[in-house]
Amino acid sequence: MKKNLKLKAARVERDLTQVELAERIGVTRQTIGAIEKGDYNPTINLCLKICKVLGKTLDELFWED
């Protein structure tokens, strides 16, 4: 899996740490870190929660070009 730099950029754009994002969606900081590093493939439900908090669409955060 590739690193998810779009997720990290969107998180930083919202001025959120990995911990803050994790708390808002009910996962651990390690989960957010693993998604950003490309070590974890999140479920669609988790992707939707992340999108909602960051104000982005699935395409904007998770679609690979």
Side-chain angles (χ1 to χ4, degrees):
M1 266 188 274
K2 287 173 40 175
K3 287 186 178 185
N4 192 329
L5 300 177
K6 294 185 274 186
L7 172 56
K8 183 174 182 177
R11 178 179 58 75
V12 171
E13 183 180 290
R14 290 276 185 162
D15 199 29
L16 292 173
T17 65
Q18 288 183 346
V19 171
E20 291 167 331
L21 177 58
E23 287 173 350
R24 290 186 186 194
I25 60 174
V27 298
T28 65
R29 181 210 51 85
Q30 290 85 352
T31 298
I32 300 300
I35 296 168
E36 289 182 358
K37 288 189 333 187
D39 291 341
Y40 178 72
N41 190 11
T43 65
I44 189 70
N45 287 333
L46 181 52
C47 290
L48 289 170
K49 288 179 183 179
I50 293 169
C51 288
K52 186 173 182 178
V53 169
L54 296 179
K56 301 286 184 180
T57 66
L58 284 170
D59 284 350
E60 289 173 319
L61 293 183
F62 295 101
W63 188 259
E64 291 186 20
D65 298 326

